[in-house]
């Protein structure tokens, strides 16, 4: 079975500061990795994903995540956050073949202070 | 193209009553998933349809939950009779096929059982 741990339930940062949201996973088989974001009063949206190839993946709004197989991590980073990044962020995994269900972490609520 | 839609957006019912949640996936998506988030915990998988067939229902909590997808289009999730611990946000997602394809989520239905 797979499991995902997001180490921080809440992360408060100041606007324009850097941020890192941590995600570690456990799986006996290879997985795909995802970060989803839920803005206030909206549904979940895919932020970025790692399927294969380069271990560094980027989103269109400046977030990036790096797949580290040895540390089984997929931390999310942004060098300078904006008020509009206020949201809850979810890390998720899916095994490569067979069951297609996503296994989610507990979520990290990112709060940006002016 | 319309996204995944869910109805209702909110539902408040009393313990012992019945509630039916509806999900309309993106047109042409064969895969449809139900997830649930209870009391700020992690989002958990409930079940997965491929067209009208249940591919994986390993996450269904008990026999009070019944999911259907007649004709392989929209899906319903019925809870009968509802219990207090069923309160939470029920998400539906859809995806077009195999591989690491993104799952597109709906806005969720917030169910409150009093």
């Amino acid at each position: 079975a797979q499991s995902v741990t997001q180490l921080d339930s809440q992360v408060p940062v100041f606007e324009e500061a850097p941020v890192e949201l941590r995600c570690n996973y456990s799986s006996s088989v290879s997985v795909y990795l995802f970060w989803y974001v839920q803005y206030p009063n909206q549904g979940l949206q895919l932020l970025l994903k790692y399927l294969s190839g380069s271990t560094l993946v980027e989103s269109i709004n400046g977030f990036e995540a790096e797949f580290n197989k040895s540390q089984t991590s997929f931390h999310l980073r942004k060098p300078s956050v904006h008020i509009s990044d206020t949201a809850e962020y979810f890390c998720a995994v899916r095994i490569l073949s067979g069951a297609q269900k996503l296994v989610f972490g507990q979520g990290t609520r990112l709060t940006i202070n002016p | 193209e319309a996204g995944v839609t869910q109805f209702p957006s909110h539902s408040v019912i009393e313990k012992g009553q019945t509630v039916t949640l509806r999900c309309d996936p993106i047109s042409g998506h064969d895969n449809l998933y139900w997830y649930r988030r209870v009391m700020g915990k992690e989002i958990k998988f409930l079940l997965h349809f491929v067209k009208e067939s249940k591919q994986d229902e390993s996450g269904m909590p008990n026999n009070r939950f019944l999911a259907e997808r007649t004709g392989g289009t929209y899906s319903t999730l019925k809870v009968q009779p509802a219990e207090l611990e069923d309160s939470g946000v029920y998400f539906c997602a859809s995806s077009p096929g195999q591989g690491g394809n993104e799952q597109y989520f709906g806005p969720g239905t917030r169910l409150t059982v009093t």
Side-chain angles (χ1 to χ4, degrees), chain B residues 39-78:
Chain B
M39 290 293 291
K41 295 186 178 179
E42 69 269 27
I43 300 166
K44 284 195 172 180
F45 168 82
L46 296 178
L47 87 159
H48 168 209
F49 283 100
V50 178
K51 296 184 180 178
E52 68 275 11
S53 299
K54 292 176 184 175
Q55 182 77 14
D56 179 358
E57 51 184 329
S58 61
M60 294 288 267
N62 51 61
N63 59 9
R64 296 186 293 103
F65 289 75
L66 175 63
E68 295 180 322
R69 193 183 182 194
T70 306
T73 54
Y74 71 91
S75 174
T76 58
L77 180 65
K78 180 189 287 188

Side-chain angles (χ1 to χ4, degrees), chain A residues 32 34 36 38 42-46 49 51 88 90 94 96 99-107 109, chain B residues 31 33 35 37 40-43 45 48 56 58 91 95 97-107:
Chain A
Y32 296 128
F34 305 84
Y36 279 83
Q38 185 177 25
Q42 296 186 29
L44 290 163
Q45 303 173 32
L46 181 67
K49 62 184 176 184
L51 304 182
E88 191 160 17
F90 298 91
R94 210 209 89 180
L96 268 61
Q100 294 189 31
K101 63 182 180 183
L102 291 170
V103 176
F104 285 89
Q106 299 92 328
R109 191 171 297 277
Chain B
N31 297 287
Y33 312 83
Y35 294 85
R37 191 182 193 196
K41 295 186 178 179
E42 69 269 27
I43 300 166
F45 168 82
H48 168 209
D56 179 358
S58 61
F91 292 102
S95 71
Q98 294 294 320
N101 289 329
E102 172 184 355
Q103 292 183 19
Y104 297 82
F105 280 77

